[in-house]
């Protein structure tokens, strides 16, 4: 929930930065303004400020892409949190089951994967930094289940187009198959188990008493192996959290 007097300049600047780092190509001022629902002149001032701070850089066609500053900030944040360093050895141990293993964090309607390996080889095909709609992710559902219903409704029904609602389709919230009911079932059982594609599903649990990340296993999971996988995930989550200083 926003404070009584939110800093609009800060919010809009972060929205511009989020749009740049989420895009697979450079964005122009007017395109970004349409995407965020902001005035082009305001977006132009924000982009020029971000460029001056090296969080963005202007390229051919007067478009912008992420600058070196954002890469430094990302590296510093990962190093400072220590999450990846603590998690790696425990995540690698989960590959013994022969399914994909992932670690992710939640930001509004998106899950960002800090670790995602789809083979039994923990060194192969690691994907970091990719985002996915939280409502379509087992890790996302596990983390959203710890939010209040009020917060979930605010995220998926924002009154302001610039509040970082950039790419996720809005899922149905109400009804027996809606997101609110799915989150309630997840709270009751203490873990997320959702179908992601035909024949595939994801099992995920959160990390931390006040969850800050989640770990999951994805694949053609059978009902018989879910209890074993849940035990392994729960143990790994506790070990990862226990490594905090």
């Amino acid at each position: 929930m926003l404070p009584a007097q939110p800093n609009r300049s800060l919010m809009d600047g972060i929205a511009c930065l989020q749009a740049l780092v989420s895009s697979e190509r450079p964005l122009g001022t007017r395109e970004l303004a349409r995407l965020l629902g902001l005035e082009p002149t305001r977006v132009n001032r924000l982009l020029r400020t971000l460029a001056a701070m090296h969080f963005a850089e202007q390229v051919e066609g007067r478009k912008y892409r992420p600058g070196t500053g954002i890469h430094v900030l990302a590296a510093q944040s990962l190093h400072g949190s220590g999450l990846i360093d603590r998690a790696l050895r425990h995540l690698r141990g989960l590959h013994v089951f022969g399914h994909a293993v992932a670690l992710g964090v939640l930001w509004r309607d998106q899950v960002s994967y800090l670790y995602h390996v789809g083979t039994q080889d923990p060194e192969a095909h690691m994907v970091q930094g990719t985002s996915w709609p939280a409502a379509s992710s087992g890790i996302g559902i596990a983390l959203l289940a710890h939010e209040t219903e009020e917060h979930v409704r605010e995220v998926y029904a924002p009154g302001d187009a610039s509040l970082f609602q950039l790419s996720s389709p809005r899922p149905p919230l109400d009804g027996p198959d809606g997101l609110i009911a799915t989150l309630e079932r997840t709270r009751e059982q203490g873990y997320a188990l959702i179908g992601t594609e035909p024949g595939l599903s994801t099992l995920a649990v959160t990390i931390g008493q006040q969850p800050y990340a989640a770990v999951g296993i994805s694949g053609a999971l059978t009902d018989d192996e879910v209890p074993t996988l849940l035990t392994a995930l729960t143990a790994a989550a506790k070990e990862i959290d226990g490594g905090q200083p």
Side-chain angles (χ1 to χ4, degrees), residues 5 27 30 44 50 71 73 83 86 109 111-112 122 150 152-153 162-163 166 170 178 184 195 209 221-222 234 242:
Q5 295 181 317
L27 297 173
R30 291 190 177 277
N44 183 58
L50 290 170
H71 301 305
L73 184 63
L83 177 57
R86 296 196 309 271
D109 65 338
V111 165
S112 181
E150 180 184 15
V152 172
R153 290 187 181 278
S162 70
L163 290 181
L166 299 177
R170 297 181 188 178
E184 181 59 32
Q209 187 172 3
L221 311 184
T222 66
T234 303

Side-chain angles (χ1 to χ4, degrees), residues 95-120:
H95 286 282
V96 67
F97 298 104
H99 299 299
V101 177
L103 172 75
V105 295
L106 176 69
W107 191 66
R108 292 193 64 82
D109 65 338
Q110 297 282 312
V111 165
S112 181
Y113 290 103
L114 305 182
Y115 177 98
H116 193 294
V117 177
T119 73
Q120 295 187 48

Side-chain angles (χ1 to χ4, degrees), residues 153-235:
R153 290 187 181 278
E154 177 188 352
V155 167
Y156 285 98
D160 188 326
S162 70
L163 290 181
F164 322 118
Q165 197 80 2
L166 299 177
S167 58
S168 296
R170 297 181 188 178
L173 295 180
D174 298 302
D177 297 321
L179 180 60
I180 299 301
T182 298
L183 297 180
E184 181 59 32
R185 289 193 296 270
T186 300
R187 292 186 195 101
E188 291 175 356
Q189 63 193 16
Y191 60 89
L193 179 59
I194 68 165
T196 51
E197 297 179 33
L200 301 178
S201 56
T202 297
L203 178 68
V205 300
T206 56
I207 300 172
Q209 187 172 3
Q210 296 295 324
Y212 53 87
V215 58
I217 289 180
S218 301
L221 311 184
T222 66
D223 291 341
D224 290 340
E225 66 181 329
V226 165
T228 300
L229 296 177
L230 181 59
T231 298
L233 281 173
T234 303

Side-chain angles (χ1 to χ4, degrees), residues 39-80:
E39 289 293 328
T41 52
R42 181 171 182 78
V43 171
N44 183 58
R45 290 197 302 270
L46 290 168
L47 288 174
R48 289 171 65 88
T49 301
L50 290 170
M53 298 174 67
H54 301 289
F55 287 129
E57 63 180 13
Q58 192 174 50
V59 295
E60 186 178 356
R62 303 180 70 178
K63 296 185 177 183
Y64 289 85
R65 67 183 181 189
T68 55
I70 195 64
H71 301 305
V72 172
L73 184 63
Q76 289 174 333
S77 66
L78 286 175
H79 175 73

